[in-house]
Amino acid sequence: MGSLNRAPLIRWCGATSLGAVVTHGLASGMVRTKVLVIGGGFGGLFCARRLGGTDVDVTLLDRAASHVFQPLLYQCATGTLSVGQISRSLREELAGHHNVTTLLGDAVLLDPDARQVTARRPDETTFTLDYDVLVLAAGMRQSYFGQEEFAHWAPGMKTLDDALSIRRRLFGAFEIAETLPPGPERDGWLTFAVSGGGPTGVELAGQIRELATRALAKEFHSIDPEDARVLLFDGGDRLLKSFAPALAGKATATLAKLGVEMHLGGHVTDVRREGITVTPKGEGEPQDYPARTVLWTAGVEAVPFARHVAGQLGATTDRAGRIPVEDDLTVAGHPEVFVVGDLAGRKDLPGVAENAMQGGLHAAACIRRDLAGEPRKAYKYRDLGSAAYISRGHALLQAGPVKLSGFLGWLGWGLIHIAFLTGVQNRVSTLATWLGTIARAHRTDRVFLLGSPTSPEQPYTWSAHRSELPPPGPSTASGTEGSTAA
Ligand SMILES: Cc1cc2nc3c(=O)[nH]c(=O)nc-3n(C[C@H](O)[C@H](O)[C@H](O)COP(=O)(O)OP(=O)(O)OC[C@H]3O[C@@H](n4cnc5c(N)ncnc54)[C@H](O)[C@@H]3O)c2cc1C
């Protein structure tokens, strides 16, 4: 491992009631504070952007090197939008901030005593990064509630890879069905099961039916895509529990009209090549449903690195792996470690983009206040509402007393999403694409790649397990080393 460009820093520990930790280096003519942000999602990107031009050196580390607008992943999966429209290179996004460095790497180890993070490159070699302040914004991943083998047949929906994998499965299923004679095998390929009745599950289910009844309706000769069955499963007694019952009721009616078959009160307890098993929560026998395409949106859990961080810092996580945070979003006993976004474990903080953006801005504000020798403020989340797309011309929008559905909800939903998409070009082209789909049924991004499990790029999927990694500590990291000072 190469040596690191670390310099002694003067710290203002305990200068405020919350414990200011950012160094006073600049003011004393010494070194600049190193801020390491892990994750370039909503929390990390907003934090790094806000620190642009501040007297600190920021390193933003992300395992994918791009910011992904997760709320529109399902539109990428179902062929409406392209990968480029819902994501942006972090390097390009932050190029204007000369004190911000962006790096591609998967954070794998934290050494809190040395204030060092080890990251893995796509070729499995590692490098280390120093920090004075760490901002953990690595988000959540799909949870299969301990049944990891389900992921093989039922991809989740958290990354661009997930969206493209789903696109391949959806369009591939119709193509395969077209080559089969009528019968149970063809029916299986024309049956799509979605597990999880939250916004993502609802959006996906609605989109698949729309795809079948509009974009694909007149293109096939052997099958009738409109025969495609979409089954939506949720263990609760209603869909969209984060929305008011009246709004969720309207969404349910719209989905039913679209032809989505909703099955409530049962959990998907098995997923296999040819279908799923659903077990009722109360009485009743488990039931099998043949379906060659199964999609999983039922739960989330912290990414593995977050669990590792919690362990290293002696923090007890909740069941999903969220890390408990103090009033200022730092970990107890570690005023130099912020946790923002989905990973921040506090009861009043929801797993939504707005909380991540506000949390990222808050961490940046604390760092700036530390620099100015001012006390940090407590983080207060402002709920600006939520929205969910149901079908063409129908969406829900809930913000305080405002509750919209149908066309008005759809307009509000569209405006919010356009406003928060990263990059002007993405906003303009997404708006143009949406206007195009109002006039015509077609989808412009239906092309799918077959992928190859044997490709030499496979390590790029960061497939190695934590158990295969070396234990923490600079002397034990493996591979071709490089060093970078955060
Ligand atoms: C399909 C879907 C639809 C959604 N729809 C909505 C919606 O309509 N409205 C809403 O408000 N919210 C929505 N959300 C939730 C919202 O996207 C999240 O709350 C938000 O993205 C959380 O931001 P974050 O910064 O905490 O994490 P993320 O945005 O998940 O970003 C985490 C980043 O960390 C990186 N990372 C992870 N592990 C590592 C590591 N070990 N090393 C380096 N980098 C790492 C990832 O590559 C990623 O870029 C949706 C989420 C999904 C998945």
Side-chain angles (χ1 to χ4, degrees):
M1 172 170 295
S3 64
L4 297 165
N5 186 13
R6 296 203 85 216
L9 301 172
I10 299 168
R11 294 170 199 287
W12 280 10
C13 293
T16 73
S17 57
L18 292 170
V21 292
V22 172
T23 63
H24 189 209
L26 237 205
S28 60
M30 293 184 70
V31 290
R32 282 156 66 96
T33 296
K34 296 168 190 161
V35 180
L36 175 57
V37 182
I38 297 183
F42 288 102
L45 177 61
F46 273 64
C47 180
R49 266 205 307 229
R50 181 53 65 89
L51 289 174
T54 305
D55 287 333
V56 292
D57 288 327
V58 182
T59 297
L60 175 57
L61 178 79
D62 194 284
R63 69 202 299 272
S66 60
H67 171 78
V68 178
F69 192 82
Q70 292 178 6
L72 288 177
L73 272 174
Y74 73 95
Q75 295 218 357
C76 180
T78 52
T80 298
L81 296 176
S82 69
V83 165
Q85 283 171 308
I86 64 160
S87 64
R88 186 153 196 236
S89 150
L90 286 166
R91 187 167 297 288
E92 184 185 10
E93 173 67 19
L94 293 163
H97 300 297
H98 298 299
N99 65 325
V100 181
T101 303
T102 52
L103 294 176
L104 169 69
D106 191 21
V108 287
L109 298 171
L110 168 74
D111 182 341
D113 297 328
R115 294 198 179 171
Q116 237 174 37
V117 166
T118 302
R120 195 169 52 197
R121 302 186 186 90
D123 67 355
E124 306 287 336
T125 60
T126 59
F127 60 102
T128 55
L129 294 159
D130 287 348
Y131 66 85
D132 300 303
V133 180
L134 180 69
V135 181
L136 182 64
M140 308 290 271
R141 66 176 187 179
Q142 211 71 63
S143 168
Y144 291 85
F145 308 111
Q147 310 270 13
E148 304 312 317
E149 66 279 10
F150 289 2
H152 189 64
W153 305 114
M157 176 76 113
K158 289 295 283 181
T159 64
L160 291 176
D161 290 278
D162 292 337
L164 293 182
S165 162
I166 291 174
R167 188 193 284 180
R168 178 168 68 231
R169 287 168 199 242
L170 291 181
F171 288 99
F174 286 101
E175 295 298 337
I176 292 170
E178 175 79 346
T179 66
L180 289 166
E185 196 180 357
R186 184 160 103 172
D187 293 344
W189 282 108
L190 286 177
T191 305
F192 302 83
V194 180
S195 170
T200 305
V202 162
E203 285 165 345
L204 260 179
Q207 284 285 297
I208 301 171
R209 271 302 292 171
E210 268 193 5
L211 185 66
T213 55
R214 278 174 57 83
L216 303 184
K218 298 192 175 66
E219 293 183 356
F220 289 81
H221 296 280
S222 164
I223 60 164
D224 185 351
E226 295 196 36
D227 291 342
R229 293 178 66 199
V230 179
L231 318 177
L232 178 59
F233 298 91
D234 192 275
D237 54 5
R238 71 174 173 98
L239 302 176
L240 297 167
K241 281 189 244 17
S242 56
F243 285 84
L247 279 187
K250 286 184 181 167
T252 306
T254 307
L255 285 176
K257 213 167 146 195
L258 203 59
V260 175
E261 300 169 36
M262 287 159 277
H263 300 264
L264 299 173
H267 289 298
V268 176
T269 48
D270 189 33
V271 182
R272 45 196 182 273
R273 185 184 164 89
E274 264 103 20
I276 59 173
T277 302
V278 177
T279 306
K281 268 167 78 179
E283 287 177 11
E285 291 297 308
Q287 203 177 332
D288 290 343
Y289 293 86
R292 292 302 292 257
T293 310
V294 184
L295 308 176
W296 191 271
T297 67
V300 290
E301 64 183 13
V303 294
F305 181 65
R307 288 189 185 272
H308 167 73
V309 168
Q312 293 294 94
L313 299 180
T316 309
T317 62
D318 68 8
R319 272 177 61 195
R322 292 181 199 89
I323 301 174
V325 286
E326 302 283 279
D327 283 351
D328 63 353
L329 291 183
T330 58
V331 179
H334 291 275
E336 78 286 7
V337 181
F338 291 89
V339 180
V340 304
D342 284 1
L343 283 176
R346 205 171 82 185
K347 272 205 178 108
D348 62 323
L349 304 183
V352 296
E354 192 55 52
N355 172 49
M357 293 188 264
Q358 290 178 28
L361 294 176
H362 174 83
C366 286
I367 293 166
R368 290 162 71 128
R369 293 182 80 82
D370 283 358
L371 277 180
E374 294 168 4
R376 292 179 183 177
K377 290 187 174 170
Y379 174 60
K380 286 199 189 96
Y381 167 63
R382 278 178 302 125
D383 184 0
L384 300 183
S386 40
Y389 181 99
I390 309 302
S391 70
R392 196 167 156 268
H394 295 270
L396 305 184
L397 181 65
Q398 180 175 293
V402 179
K403 293 185 177 55
L404 300 177
S405 58
F407 188 68
L408 278 181
W410 187 61
L411 279 183
W413 167 90
L415 285 174
I416 291 172
H417 282 71
I418 288 292
F420 285 106
L421 254 184
T422 315
V424 176
Q425 199 178 323
N426 283 359
R427 285 186 205 135
V428 173
S429 79
T430 297
L431 188 61
T433 305
W434 283 350
L435 291 174
T437 55
I438 292 172
R440 295 174 58 201
H442 80 303
R443 293 183 182 228
T444 49
D445 274 279
R446 289 167 44 174
V447 171
F448 58 87
L449 305 176
L450 288 177
S452 162
T454 54
S455 120
E457 277 83 38
Q458 194 60 12
Y460 212 85
T461 58
W462 316 104
S463 52
H465 292 292
R466 185 151 306 281
S467 57
E468 295 162 11
L469 292 166
S475 58
T476 50
S478 65
T480 310
E481 289 302 322
S483 65
T484 312

